[in-house]
Structures are given as C-alpha cells and as structure tokens.
Amino acid sequence: MRLVSLIHPRLVAHPALGQWRIEEDTEIARAVKGEVSWLWAGKTLSRPYVVVDHEQKTTIRTMRGMTNSSFGSRPRPGSVRSAVAAWVTILAGCAWMLTDGFGLLKPESAEQAPSTAPTMVSPQADAAIQMVVAMKSWAGAEAIGAGMSSLDPLKTQGTLERLAFAIAARWMGDEDAENGMMQSLEAERPQDALVQQVKACLAQAETIGSSTTSAPTSPPERADAARALPEGVTRESLSPLGASASLLESMATGDAALGAQVAERATRIAFSVVGFFGIALVALAIGVVTLVMLSVKASSGAPMSRLAPTLLGHQGIHIELFAAWVVYEVVLGVVASRADLGGLGTLGVITFQALGLVALAWPILRGMSWGELRRELGLTMGAGVVREAAWGVLAWCMAVPMVLVGLVLSLLLGWLFGGSLSDASHPLQEGLRSSSAGGIVIWYLVAAVVAPVLEEILFRGGLYRGLRGATGSMPLLASMVVSALLSSFVFAAIHPQGVLFVPILGALAMSFCLVRELRGSLVAPMVGHALNNGLIVTLNLMLLK
C-alpha cells in the first residue's frame, strides 16, 4: 500500500494553464505539488482527505475518518483507459450515425425500401418561385431575365422542381424556357400523370389568352368568368407543386382574383425575406466590431477565458459524458429502425431526443455531485441572466460573419465535388409545411428550446470542455482553436443537412464555443443558439405556410 498524497479538495487543475492552480491551503498543496498521480474530488468537500493506492483498489479517507469510500478496478475519470474507451466510443458511434449503422439499418432489398419519390416540391424551389413572382410584381417585364436566371438551379433537380420551373417560365413570359422544359419532361416521363396535368393546364392557359407577359392584373369582377381546371385536374392533384399550384391554377382558369392573391402573398414573403436579411446585415456589423474588439483585447494580454477549472480526478469526465450521449443516440437509432417511432407523433420523437440528457447520469455514477457537474458543464447563471442573455445575442451576431466564411467554403466544396446547397433539406421544413397551429408551436419548442439546451450541454458543456482539458498543455489560443474546430466539426457532421453544410454549421458552432470560453456559463451559448433557430423557423414559416 502506498500513500499518494495529502491534499485539500480545493486544489484543482486549470486546463487553460496546463498546471495545478492552488485556491486555498497552499502550504498543504505545496507540500505535495508534483507528487499527485490522481485525486478524487470527494463529496466531503469541507475536509482534507487521504488518497491511498493499493493494487487494484483506491480508498479515499477524510482526515477525521468520517468517510471511507472504496472504488474498484474500473478506469477512473482522467485515466488513460477511460479516455481511450470514451474516444473509441465517440468515433465509432459518430461513424455509425453518419453511415446508418454502416448500412445495417437500411432495408435489405429494394422491395423492402420505402418509396423515396418526393411528395412535395422542395422548400428551396418553393421559396425561389415566390421570390420570382414578387420580382415580377415589382419590376414587371424588366424582371424576366433576372427572375429566370435565379431559377436556373431548378432545371437539374427533380420532376416537381422542373415542373415548377416551367410554370414560373410561363408566368414570366419566357415561352422558350417553358416549352423546352415541358418537352424534356414529356420525353423522360411520358406516363407521369402530374406532367400531363401541368401540360393540359398550360395549354388551357394559352387558349384562354392568359398570357404571362405580365402578371394578372384584371379587376376582381372578372373572376366569376374564370374557367374550371382541365378535365381530370384538381387542386389536390396539383398540390405537390406547392406555391406553383396556385400560380398554375390562376393562369389555367383566368382567375384574376386568384392571380392577384398569389402576387400579393409573394410580395409579403419577399418583404419578410428582405427584412430578415436587413437584421442579418445589422448583426454582421455588430459581430465584426465585437470580434475586432475581442482580438485587440486578447492581443493586449488581458485574461479572456472564464472556464471554471476542473476538479482533480475529473479531467476526463466531460468526454465520458459526451460518449454516453453517443451511446444513447446509437441505441435510439437502432430502436427507430426496428419500431415505428413516427407513429408517436412529433412530440413523441422530441421526447425521445430530449431523453438524451440521461447521459448526465453518467458523471454522477462516476462520483461527481450534481453541484460539481453543473459547475463543470457551465450550468450556472454566470454574471446574471440579463448580462449572459445579452452575450447570447452578441454570440449570434458574431456567428454571422463566421457563417459567411463557412458559406464561401461550402460553395467551394460544391464547386470542387459537385452538388448544391439548394439540394439540402431538414425535417423541420417538411414538418412546418404540413403542421397545424399546434404543430408549429411544437416545432418552435423543439428548435428554440429543446435543441439549444440539449446541444449546448453536450457539445459546448461536454465535448468542447473536454477537448479544452485534453489540450491544456498547449498554449491557450491553440487549445481554444483546436477544441473549437474538432467539436464544431462533430456538431455539424451529425446534422441532417449533408456534407456541404458542414462548414456553415461548423462556423455557427464555433461562435458558441467562443462565447462559452468568454463567459464560462452556458446561458449565452443557449440564448444565441435559440435566437438563431427561432429566426430560421420563422423564416421557413413565412416561406412555406
């Protein structure tokens, strides 16, 4: 049996400094500094204690003998074995999630696979059509060239998007583009019912003189003279075309009132989008100024990090926490592949995702108290709710210039490897499109409450914090950059938008890592994350509903 050290619990390891930092009882701490092989932050924090190593068992005794706790041969937090096990779990689990269980969770045959044919035009195409209609309403014939150019990406997408392009071309008065697209679709899909219905509607639009050289501006009283849709065509059968369905119906029936409604709605949406980008421009200016000021402050040598130092004996617990969540997600994915969780509804699926916080039980099982865990993860109020929330708004503002850099990188990736950002989608978009008022409230709850809380605890509280501890021997700036890059890459990669969105989402995550470092508390990252997601939901809602 070997006496390792006599130490006070308030002696802690500071990852930013990569060395011991003494908070109190320095005369005791100095006596054992450099001798400590491992220290357990015991629950009796008011007394010094003795740590004794004896072969495969570690015994912790307080100085007055009030507590005697033994821990067996399992890897201790911060040990090499526990670190290796945690990282292997994280890497294997993330690979499993990104590859659908290495292909094992996919149906074994094509007969088992559900139909992957889209049932609705993509949200991106729908939004593009709305903007073109608004451009035509504002600028008239002068908008034709710019409007059609903005729709060029639709030419190489799916059938529904190409049909929407043909309808928009008729509306804009570009008959060559309309005819060319319809001929191409008929040659490729001669038996497609929707293609034939759109063809019939466009032909009827031409015969009744519903020319698209200008938007319908006839007085509403002419609406009662509107024709019916062609035989076999209904609003329901055209509904997969989204906003383009109303556009096509107004031209095919000569319904001027409907045409005016379509143009008015598109104009409202366009104004909303312009307003959103106006907010983004203001945030961009604020973000750039804030980043410059922080850079100047850091270059002057002023202390920047407010991360709480890690208690000795718990240096690896953050990575273990994240590994526990990865295990939960893998298990949930396997269950979802075998059971129809979709039958539980949106709220049920959300509940299962939120239960990922059960990973917080792992550090408790490893000997941490809830108070210690909250401190380690940053689940504190910091300098107060108001001040931390204000920093959350600043975090989103700082994210805007970072995301612009990520956007450039994403466009470069698309150019190098093929693909387009417009091909990406998120379950949120389809969910909003088909949701009732109650469903919309649930989606706001998911995006602006559940996701920020869950993801900030796990990624900025767990993974980023753990990486900072693991890279504590590096210079502070190097440790911050490496930790932010790695944790942000994992954050972006497991999101469903695809590879091209990794630089964009990674840039967003890096801004949350920065404010986590600056504030220590997770309140600011959570507020910034919630603000970003809430604005995205609102923008999608305006475009899709």
Side-chain angles (χ1 to χ4, degrees):
M1 186 168 65
R2 179 171 62 92
L3 179 65
V4 176
S5 62
L6 169 65
I7 198 65
H8 193 279
R10 293 299 297 277
L11 173 62
V12 294
H14 196 297
L17 301 175
Q19 60 190 10
W20 305 127
R21 189 176 81 174
I22 313 306
E23 293 193 350
E24 59 182 52
D25 283 6
T26 54
E27 68 285 353
I28 298 177
R30 277 196 299 269
V32 298
K33 189 174 181 181
E35 301 176 9
V36 180
S37 61
W38 175 72
L39 291 173
W40 184 274
K43 295 182 180 299
T44 309
L45 296 179
S46 60
R47 304 182 181 91
Y49 51 77
V50 175
V51 181
V52 179
D53 274 0
H54 184 240
E55 296 179 353
Q56 298 297 316
K57 181 176 289 188
T58 299
T59 301
I60 300 172
R61 298 190 180 96
T62 62
M63 292 298 292
R64 297 182 183 179
M66 299 297 292
T67 302
N68 189 348
S69 302
S70 296
F71 300 86
S73 59
R74 66 182 182 180
R76 298 171 300 207
S79 71
V80 174
R81 280 193 298 164
S82 64
V84 170
W87 278 114
V88 169
T89 301
I90 291 170
L91 295 175
C94 289
W96 176 279
M97 289 188 284
L98 291 172
T99 59
D100 290 325
F102 305 115
L104 299 177
L105 301 184
K106 294 182 179 179
E108 296 181 0
S109 65
E111 291 77 11
Q112 293 175 297
S115 173
T116 57
T119 57
M120 285 290 291
V121 69
S122 70
Q124 293 84 352
D126 220 17
I129 297 296
Q130 300 273 17
M131 295 302 293
V132 166
V133 172
M135 289 173 62
K136 181 64 180 295
S137 300
W138 291 345
E142 296 177 0
I144 293 177
M148 294 309 299
S149 295
S150 69
L151 297 181
D152 281 345
L154 303 186
K155 295 179 181 179
T156 58
Q157 296 182 18
T159 300
L160 294 176
E161 287 74 27
R162 294 161 71 190
L163 285 172
F165 174 88
I167 295 168
R170 166 58 67 94
W171 176 271
M172 297 295 290
D174 192 338
E175 295 184 5
D176 291 339
E178 172 207 339
N179 294 332
M181 182 57 69
M182 290 306 300
Q183 289 171 6
S184 174
L185 286 168
E186 285 185 86
E188 295 175 17
R189 308 179 69 87
Q191 305 301 320
D192 190 291
L194 186 56
V195 171
Q196 297 304 318
Q197 290 178 16
V198 172
K199 178 184 177 182
C201 289
L202 291 174
Q204 180 168 300
E206 185 174 358
T207 60
I208 67 173
S210 182
S211 174
T212 59
T213 55
S214 61
T217 55
S218 303
E221 56 266 20
R222 283 192 53 194
D224 58 1
R227 297 187 183 185
L229 288 167
E231 184 178 356
V233 181
T234 64
R235 286 186 175 180
E236 289 72 22
S237 65
L238 295 178
S239 61
L241 295 169
S244 300
S246 298
L247 201 63
L248 180 61
E249 182 181 350
S250 70
M251 294 187 293
T253 62
D255 190 336
L258 179 58
Q261 291 173 10
V262 171
E264 182 183 356
R265 179 178 183 275
T267 300
R268 289 200 307 269
I269 290 174
F271 275 122
S272 300
V273 172
V274 170
F276 178 85
F277 281 102
I279 294 172
L281 284 175
V282 173
L284 173 64
I286 296 173
V288 169
V289 170
T290 304
L291 288 172
V292 170
M293 292 175 64
L294 290 174
S295 299
V296 171
K297 183 177 180 180
S299 64
S300 69
M304 302 292 288
S305 176
R306 291 194 179 185
L307 285 181
T310 301
L311 290 168
L312 290 179
H314 291 300
Q315 292 92 332
I317 200 65
H318 314 87
I319 299 300
E320 292 186 27
L321 165 65
F322 191 78
W325 173 76
V326 169
V327 170
Y328 175 84
E329 286 295 311
V330 168
V331 172
L332 182 60
V334 173
V335 172
S337 70
R338 300 290 183 262
D340 183 18
L341 295 184
L344 299 175
T346 303
L347 192 58
V349 174
I350 294 164
T351 301
F352 273 101
Q353 289 292 340
L355 285 176
L357 289 175
V358 72
L360 293 175
W362 180 256
I364 304 298
L365 294 175
R366 297 285 269 161
M368 293 190 79
S369 69
W370 173 241
E372 293 168 348
L373 180 58
R374 287 178 56 247
R375 174 179 174 273
E376 293 291 329
L377 297 180
L379 292 174
T380 65
M381 291 303 170
V385 175
V386 174
R387 182 173 294 183
E388 298 299 333
W391 270 96
V393 176
L394 277 179
W396 182 74
C397 292
M398 289 187 288
V400 175
M402 294 183 182
V403 167
L404 286 179
V405 175
L407 175 61
V408 172
L409 294 177
S410 291
L411 293 174
L412 181 60
L413 285 176
W415 177 72
L416 290 174
F417 302 106
S420 170
L421 292 175
S422 61
D423 297 333
S425 63
H426 193 283
L428 166 72
Q429 294 172 318
E430 295 300 329
L432 284 176
R433 179 180 267 168
S434 58
S435 290
S436 62
I440 291 172
V441 171
I442 291 175
W443 278 111
Y444 267 110
L445 179 65
V446 173
V449 179
V450 176
V453 170
L454 177 67
E455 293 177 355
E456 292 309 312
I457 289 175
L458 294 168
F459 285 92
R460 260 62 69 181
L463 183 58
Y464 173 75
R465 186 65 183 80
L467 287 167
R468 284 282 286 110
T471 58
S473 59
M474 295 182 178
L476 177 58
L477 181 60
S479 175
M480 289 172 57
V481 171
V482 170
S483 302
L485 283 173
L486 291 176
S487 63
S488 298
F489 175 78
V490 175
F491 173 83
I494 66 172
H495 276 70
Q497 287 94 326
V499 175
L500 292 184
F501 261 82
V502 167
I504 296 174
L505 294 174
L508 180 69
M510 288 193 70
S511 72
F512 300 148
C513 291
L514 174 60
V515 79
R516 163 79 164 111
E517 186 80 32
L518 294 173
R519 303 307 302 166
S521 168
L522 282 179
V523 172
M526 286 179 179
V527 170
H529 199 153
L531 176 60
N532 178 78
N533 288 6
L535 288 172
I536 295 298
V537 172
T538 301
L539 180 62
N540 277 279
L541 193 60
M542 291 185 299
L543 292 173
L544 301 175
K545 295 295 285 184

